[in-house]
Amino acid sequence: MTDLVTTTATSSKWFQHYVTSFDLEKFMHLITSRFLSLLFLTLLFFVINLVGKFILRRSFKRYLVPKSGPSNRLQTISMLTMNLFHYTILFFWIYALLSTLGVPVGTLIAGAGIFSLALGLGAQGFVSDLVTGISILMEQQLDVGDVVQIGTIEGTVTSIGLRTTQVTSADGTLNFIPNRNITIVSNRSRNNMHALVNIPIAPTTPVEKLPAIIKEVNEKLLPQHPSVIGEPAITGVVTLPPNELVFQVALTCKSGSQFALQASFLTAYLKAIRQAGIQLPTHASMPASK
């Protein structure tokens, strides 16, 4: 009981001493100076961020873009450089704020112990995204503007960042894909594509007359479609599942033009065949591309 009274009295004296020695003016001065320091640092790094990004954009636009126009590769490198610069400025800004507040950042990083372990485990995904993103760029698997399929997602690459890759689908959906989830990439913009035009036929269709009609249509359409490479190859009669007969024509074309070419050539073939008096089945198969 005596110890409790003594402890209470000591605490009371300490509190009274604290109240009497508290300097409100000094405290307000400290708060104001810290606030102004934080505000100054924020404005400084904001200006550095704006000026740095302006210089980078100007450099890529004026000095690095070839005369033939900006390439997908340069656009990819430009966006990655901007992201890297942004994250670097953000890191040093946070470090400067903590140092100004008197937080021993270096000591915390060196001796955080369990916290560092937990942070490391939580950052595994980030590190994996970063390493995978660098590998993708080094191996030139993707570029901004490429038409790709990543897993079940198909579309055009609109951005490649340190953590995520953005792919815009044909319907306008913007997909954010973590780089660590990118395992198999099907890039449809690096090589020439093959468009298969399937003309539905019946067993009684006089297929021997079709090549002449198709060649005549090709002579009219090819000058209108410079994206077609070489002459269309007439494959002939092919069976598609489920037991559907088609007369197939293969077009080699530049990437990205295959779907429009399929529709244009199939329409012209069907029209010419019907004008020649050849009856075709009423059902039609979907054109294929690869």
Side-chain angles (χ1 to χ4, degrees):
M1 185 67 179
T2 304
D3 294 338
L4 179 61
V5 174
T6 303
T7 303
T8 305
T10 303
S11 301
S12 178
K13 290 180 180 180
W14 176 85
F15 180 74
Q16 292 176 1
H17 175 72
Y18 176 79
V19 172
T20 55
S21 62
F22 179 76
D23 190 342
L24 179 61
E25 183 178 354
K26 185 178 180 180
F27 176 76
M28 294 302 298
H29 175 73
L30 177 63
I31 293 297
T32 304
S33 62
R34 291 289 175 86
F35 174 77
L36 292 178
S37 298
L38 295 178
L39 181 61
F40 172 76
L41 287 173
T42 301
L43 292 176
L44 176 63
F45 278 97
F46 178 75
V47 172
I48 293 176
N49 187 43
L50 287 181
V51 174
K53 288 184 176 180
F54 173 79
I55 294 175
L56 289 174
R57 289 194 191 96
R58 188 175 182 86
S59 298
F60 275 99
K61 183 177 180 180
R62 183 174 181 179
Y63 300 105
L64 299 182
V65 176
K67 295 181 179 179
S68 58
S71 65
N72 291 344
R73 189 65 186 164
L74 283 175
Q75 189 175 359
T76 302
I77 296 174
S78 173
M79 296 187 68
L80 182 62
T81 304
M82 298 290 283
N83 287 332
L84 183 60
F85 177 78
H86 173 75
Y87 283 117
T88 302
I89 292 296
L90 182 63
F91 170 78
F92 282 106
W93 174 66
I94 295 176
Y95 186 91
L97 292 184
L98 293 177
S99 299
T100 303
L101 292 174
V103 178
V105 182
T107 304
L108 289 177
I109 296 176
I114 298 177
F115 177 76
S116 295
L117 178 61
L119 184 62
L121 292 175
Q124 283 183 353
F126 175 81
V127 175
S128 179
D129 288 336
L130 180 62
V131 173
T132 305
I134 294 175
S135 299
I136 290 173
L137 291 171
M138 294 294 292
E139 297 170 3
Q140 299 185 9
Q141 299 178 20
L142 298 174
D143 282 325
V144 175
D146 286 352
V147 178
V148 299
Q149 178 175 349
I150 301 175
T152 59
I153 297 175
E154 299 183 38
T156 303
V157 179
T158 52
S159 176
I160 300 178
L162 292 176
R163 293 191 59 252
T164 61
T165 296
Q166 299 179 23
V167 177
T168 302
S169 302
D171 60 356
T173 302
L174 182 60
N175 305 280
F176 293 84
I177 307 173
N179 289 335
R180 64 180 178 274
N181 292 340
I182 300 177
T183 54
I184 299 177
V185 178
S186 301
N187 196 323
R188 299 174 179 172
S189 297
R190 298 295 173 84
N191 300 318
N192 296 327
M193 301 297 293
H194 299 284
L196 302 181
V197 182
N198 297 324
I199 306 170
I201 60 175
T204 57
T205 301
V207 293
E208 67 278 0
K209 297 181 180 180
L210 297 182
I213 298 174
I214 290 173
K215 290 180 180 178
E216 184 179 353
V217 173
N218 291 340
E219 291 178 358
K220 296 179 181 179
L221 286 185
L222 286 178
Q224 305 174 20
H225 298 278
S227 57
V228 178
I229 301 173
E231 292 290 330
I234 300 177
T235 306
V237 179
V238 176
T239 302
L240 298 179
N243 298 323
E244 182 179 2
L245 288 176
V246 298
F247 194 89
Q248 191 173 90
V249 181
L251 303 173
T252 302
C253 57
K254 296 180 181 179
S255 175
S257 62
Q258 63 269 23
F259 300 108
L261 290 175
Q262 285 172 343
S264 178
F265 275 77
L266 180 59
T267 301
Y269 290 155
L270 294 176
K271 181 179 179 181
I273 291 171
R274 291 193 176 106
Q275 287 178 348
I278 300 175
Q279 296 296 323
L280 296 176
T282 55
H283 64 281
S285 61
M286 293 297 293
S289 64
K290 62 179 182 179

